[in-house]
Amino acid sequence: MISNSVNPFEEVKKQIDIIKEKIGIDPSVAEQLKHPRQIISVSIPIKMDNDRVDIFMGHRVQHNMWRGPYKGGIRYHPTVALDEVKALAAWMTFKTSVLDIPYGGAKGGVICNPKKMSEDELERLTRRYTSMIIDVIGPFKDVPAPDVGTDSQTMSWVMDTYSSIKGYSIPEVVTGKPISLGGSFGREGATGLGAAICTRNAAKKIGLKLRGARVAVQGYGKVGFWSAKSLDEMGCKIIAISDTGGCIVNKNGVNPDKVKEYKLKTGSVYEYKGCKNIPSDDIFELDCDILVPAALENCITDKNCDAIKAKIISESANGPTTPAADQALFEKKIFVIPDILANAGGVTVSYFEWTQNLNRDRWSLENINRRLEERMNIAFDGVYKVQKSRDESMRTAAYILAIKRLEEAHLKLGLFP
Ligand code: GLU
């Protein structure tokens, strides 16, 4: 989504320049990171259930592969735009670098409204899109995963289409699959759990007790739900949840599972029992300790950031904060855990899934969650150390860490030819 006239890819380029100024990275590294390596745009013809043929625009943006194969989700949403997918792909490059996992960054997007399409239409769309990008994806080239509007079923269709065309079963071409197809235990909740682990680290740093800490979660899809559930299990109180239908507030806390059940039945969290109902956007102004943006980009802006009362913002979504708001939050001394760190649990467990697939192996949930926690803690500490030593925001520190690693990799690789 591009709102508030913020073009996310222009902001990515500015961010790279800021880091270049601050730490003096190689100018060619900065320039290359400002240009995605390859962009594939396709017009996807799909026979709809009413027999009409509709055309959907789709993209796959491959941003960088110095540190490993391209990696990133596929988004289905009506507001998908090419510059948005470019930004999302670049954020994947930085995210995999912050977590030090051996991937580059990519992202896919199709302009469609999955909520208004039938299962059959979505299957045809996914299979045709996969067939149109088949030459550029692959287990060692570019490994897609779910994102907004896609899920494990979507990944099953990608795997089946890819395997059918290649002539043998290739589960490692995608991550985020169902367990029955080689998906990993813990993948579904990984983004939310990773964000909760970062939040616990941040709380410790500012002396906030997690037990009883009041949490507001904006967006209640997979990531919002699992963030709420993980924080609830750590002892926090989920006092507000919003989605596009509205926002529910209960000072005593709600049960994340029960709210999810209710949403599955009614389509929204709105008017869940025992809660006060307020407009969705009012969630940002609530008196709470932890705010978890878990929806789309550009939700925290210069218009609403002054009203934010949270002590910690844990960015489960990609790009939820505009640059102007980011600066204001830094000045307000709010502890912002940036998206490229906070929501990296998803791609981390995607990496575990890929590793298991390549080894024809399966790890237990305890093993996966232990490894995830270890990786998230190491990444958090690494970013925090840079932040402390340079007196920067956590976001700037995360970019410094990510871009330094990318520079190091590139300088070793050299430039072909
Ligand atoms: N779509 C998720 C993200 O933005 C996961 C990507 C992946 O697992 O490759 O991080």
Side-chain angles (χ1 to χ4, degrees), residues 87-102:
L88 288 161
W91 289 330
M92 287 308 302
T93 300
F94 300 129
K95 199 184 294 189
T96 52
S97 184
V98 170
L99 266 288
D100 200 14
I101 49 185

Side-chain angles (χ1 to χ4, degrees), residues 110-186:
V110 177
I111 307 169
C112 65
N113 188 346
K115 288 187 184 154
K116 295 217 168 114
M117 292 171 73
S118 71
E119 177 98 348
D120 285 347
E121 289 169 341
L122 285 170
E123 176 171 355
R124 290 195 288 273
L125 176 69
T126 304
R127 289 187 182 279
R128 186 66 189 250
Y129 172 63
T130 305
S131 77
M132 292 173 93
I133 61 167
I134 198 154
D135 288 338
V136 299
I137 61 170
F140 303 107
K141 275 190 190 172
D142 181 355
V143 184
D147 195 74
V148 175
T150 57
D151 57 17
S152 59
Q153 178 58 71
T154 323
M155 297 307 113
S156 308
W157 293 325
V158 174
M159 173 187 158
D160 188 59
T161 305
Y162 189 83
S163 300
S164 298
I165 293 175
K166 298 288 175 188
Y168 60 105
S169 170
I170 311 169
E172 53 274 18
V173 66
V174 277
T175 58
K177 298 178 292 293
I179 304 290
S180 56
L181 289 177
S184 178
F185 291 122

